[in-house]
Amino acid sequence: MSLRLRTTTALVFGVVMIVGTLAHPVSAALLYLLVGFLCIRELGQLLLQQDSPQKIYNQLRRALFMLLSILPTLLLIDGYLSPFPLVLNGLGHWFLPLYSLPFLLELAASSKNPFQNIAYSYLGLFYIGLPTFLLCFLSLQDPSGRFLIMAIMLLVWANDVFAYFTGRKLGKRRISPILSPNKTLEGLIGGFTAALLWGFASYFVWSILDFSLTTWLILAAEASIFAFWGDLIASMLKRSLNIKDTGTTLPGHGGLIDRFDAFLFVFPLITFTIIFILKIARFIPF
């Protein structure tokens, strides 16, 4: 795959993410809703095989997988945009029984692997649905929510870029030869160092967030460590399915999960740190 194609795709992708995130709360929420939806579709296509004798059940299984994964985010956006928000008008709880439908579907479908399919239904909710919900939730808050998303995304990008180049130039000690043979200890250290340096810079660049320097360094360290885990988890997924990429959405880069694997894992954990450990009041949703 040509370097020019990869670079062009990366630049276009980066511009779309930055502009979409910072332009407006609704543009940011809809952008992450779209990204989440496409990631969920990719994951469903990878995990949910033609497991039932009747085609209709295979189609229903994928549709239900996508619906249950994205439903909390749809209700969130409905609450923000709709003149008659379902949750705020006491109707949101009526969607809870939908989460029992995977069991009923597998009972009717005569599946070969019913409990595997049920487990996959809830994996989509936590692996893709949860970070999508959090991204949209923060997008729809005051501008500091979108600034936080962008700041964390840049921390992850700084880690990934420097880990890649450090690993290529200096990498010798492989960390996980089976899951990801190109990941090295030298690359991990290079990415971690870059994340800390960008965390230091973020104290000045994102002064509007009013985080202390210590907070930025904690978030940078978390971003680097959890991004590494997220990459390995995506590699584990692809290794288990014997595939190279999760999809073909981004020319030269593979699927959206390939590009968001680190961020999907990083963001929920960093959000947890900000709300429950650092207890930064303006981000606490309750």
Side-chain angles (χ1 to χ4, degrees), residues 17-274:
M17 296 307 299
I18 292 170
V19 173
T21 299
L22 298 180
H24 191 271
V26 175
S27 72
L30 293 180
L31 172 64
Y32 290 112
L33 175 64
L34 175 62
V35 169
F37 176 82
L38 293 175
C39 286
I40 290 164
R41 188 180 69 170
E42 278 184 5
L43 188 64
Q45 290 172 341
L46 293 173
L47 296 180
L48 300 177
Q49 307 302 318
Q50 303 299 309
D51 194 38
S52 301
Q54 294 176 278
K55 185 177 180 180
I56 184 63
Y57 289 116
N58 296 316
Q59 295 172 336
L60 284 173
R61 186 181 294 113
R62 287 190 176 181
L64 187 60
F65 174 87
M66 295 173 67
L67 173 64
L68 296 184
S69 299
I70 206 72
L71 180 59
T73 305
L74 292 176
L75 291 174
L76 171 72
I77 294 177
D78 169 75
Y80 186 85
L81 297 178
S82 173
F84 187 77
L86 297 173
V87 173
L88 297 181
N89 284 279
L91 299 177
H93 61 277
W94 288 103
F95 290 92
L96 288 175
L98 291 177
Y99 287 92
S100 67
L101 288 183
F103 293 90
L104 300 178
L105 177 63
E106 298 306 325
L107 280 173
S110 300
S111 305
K112 299 175 184 176
N113 302 290
F115 279 91
Q116 177 177 296
N117 294 328
I118 292 168
Y120 285 156
S121 296
Y122 300 111
L123 173 64
L125 174 64
F126 289 100
Y127 186 36
I128 307 293
L130 175 60
T132 301
F133 176 86
L134 292 172
L135 286 164
C136 290
F137 173 79
L138 286 178
S139 295
L140 294 172
Q141 306 310 305
D142 62 76
S144 60
R146 287 177 286 128
F147 295 151
L148 175 63
I149 292 171
M150 198 71 259
I152 301 305
M153 190 176 293
L154 291 174
L155 282 173
V156 172
W157 285 350
N159 173 81
D160 288 353
V161 168
F162 280 88
Y164 173 76
F165 285 108
T166 305
R168 283 194 63 181
K169 295 294 184 182
L170 304 175
K172 294 180 179 179
R173 300 173 181 83
R174 294 181 178 181
I175 297 175
S176 182
I178 295 176
L179 289 180
S180 188
N182 293 326
K183 283 191 169 44
T184 63
L185 179 61
E186 292 80 5
L188 178 64
I189 293 172
F192 186 82
T193 303
L196 287 180
L197 291 174
W198 182 246
F200 178 81
S202 296
Y203 174 69
F204 304 98
V205 173
W206 299 102
S207 57
I208 190 171
L209 290 174
D210 197 28
F211 288 176
S212 69
L213 179 58
T214 301
T215 296
W216 278 116
L217 294 178
I218 291 172
L219 296 182
E222 281 193 345
S224 179
I225 294 169
F226 294 138
F228 172 72
W229 287 359
D231 285 340
L232 281 186
I233 288 168
S235 296
M236 181 172 62
L237 170 67
K238 291 185 283 188
R239 177 72 62 176
S240 69
L241 298 171
N242 197 28
I243 58 174
K244 182 178 183 295
D245 297 316
T246 60
T248 58
T249 306
L250 299 174
H253 289 260
L256 277 172
I257 294 178
D258 288 313
R259 292 305 94 209
F260 277 94
D261 53 3
F263 195 62
L264 288 169
F265 201 71
V266 164
F267 199 75
L269 293 168
I270 281 190
T271 303
F272 176 86
T273 298
I274 287 172

